[in-house]
Amino acid sequence: MSRGAFITLEGIEGAGKSTVALWLCTWLRSRGLSVRQTREPGGTELAERVRRIVLERGSERVSAEAETLLMFAARAIHLDNLVRPALAAGEWVVSDRFTDATRAYQGGGRGVDVTWIDALAARVHGDLTPMCTLLLDLPVRLGLSRARARRGEEDRFEAETEAFFERVRAEYLALARREPQRIRLIDASAPVAAVQEQVAAALHPWLTCAGARS
């Protein structure tokens, strides 16, 4: 049985993660790999229920700390019931967001203590780190204009200010500088075909190691 691999996609609203994830899974399958596409928060029936709590704009306040705990609760469910079993079966898992999103959104955006986030991460998935993280980066104003042009009612994150997303983007870029071997920067402001070329180039070393078809 071939070894599974964990790939994550990150970026602010409007970066095109969902579109890239769909293309990437098709591209990997064309190279003979078994691929599972998923997302966070969510990915399983129960984790999707937690996702709704996180995103809905209800009457009750959700603190930054409560939001962080909900993210990790959904993540633990997702890992136990989808990600780890798929990896154990030799599948490549492509996830739209993972813990880097918590570091960027709750840490950078909300100001939650990064040492607490890292402690939660160590507890929930200390032995599991993405093989490669594709950070789809673009200017905040462009990303928000894309996101707001294609969606209806905004969720709790989409309704945030431009300044919030500037903090999120800044934290993502800081993470990429700290872990350049894992986190590969993709210019998401480029045309779709150019974005796909960047993604393919970023993953080429791992595909070669896996013996995938070229």
Side-chain angles (χ1 to χ4, degrees):
M1 181 186 298
S2 62
R3 293 178 57 191
F6 189 30
I7 300 170
T8 57
L9 286 81
E10 298 286 355
I12 64 168
E13 278 24 61
K17 291 181 289 72
S18 298
T19 301
V20 171
L22 183 62
W23 173 84
L24 176 56
C25 289
T26 301
W27 184 75
L28 290 172
R29 290 183 185 114
S30 74
R31 279 145 183 80
L33 298 167
S34 178
V35 183
R36 184 78 64 95
Q37 182 178 352
T38 188
R39 69 175 183 179
E40 285 204 353
T44 72
E45 183 179 355
L46 182 56
E48 289 288 336
R49 287 162 62 185
V50 180
R51 176 188 179 90
R52 289 194 291 273
I53 297 172
V54 172
L55 297 184
E56 286 177 356
R57 298 173 67 186
S59 58
E60 292 187 67
R61 177 178 177 270
V62 178
S63 70
E65 290 75 19
E67 185 178 272
T68 303
L69 290 169
L70 285 167
M71 290 294 187
F72 275 105
R75 183 162 298 133
I77 295 166
H78 182 223
L79 289 170
D80 287 347
N81 294 289
L82 189 152
V83 176
R84 292 186 190 278
L87 292 173
E91 294 185 83
W92 283 47
V93 177
V94 175
S95 181
D96 181 343
R97 300 199 189 282
F98 191 55
T99 299
D100 290 317
T102 308
R103 295 185 175 106
Y105 277 77
Q106 283 71 50
R110 305 278 194 225
V112 173
D113 184 357
V114 67
T115 59
W116 186 55
I117 293 174
D118 287 343
L120 290 169
R123 182 70 176 181
V124 171
H125 63 87
D127 61 336
L128 178 63
T129 300
M131 175 188 76
C132 178
T133 296
L134 302 166
L135 174 53
L136 306 181
D137 179 62
L138 78 173
V140 167
R141 191 161 295 179
L142 175 58
L144 294 183
S145 67
R146 285 181 180 179
R148 289 165 181 167
R150 68 172 183 251
R151 291 175 181 162
E153 184 178 355
E154 295 175 327
D155 64 32
R156 291 180 59 252
F157 291 101
E158 293 164 350
E160 281 291 347
T161 65
E162 188 172 320
F164 171 84
F165 286 107
E166 290 288 1
R167 295 193 299 273
V168 172
R169 184 192 184 200
E171 184 59 26
Y172 268 135
L173 293 173
L175 288 168
R177 288 192 296 271
R178 290 198 292 271
E179 295 189 61
Q181 294 305 310
R182 174 175 70 87
I183 303 177
R184 301 303 174 93
L185 203 60
I186 306 295
D187 178 8
S189 67
V192 172
V195 171
Q196 293 171 352
E197 288 176 2
Q198 293 175 71
V199 169
L203 288 175
H204 179 73
W206 286 283
L207 288 172
T208 301
C209 291
R213 293 197 298 265
S214 60

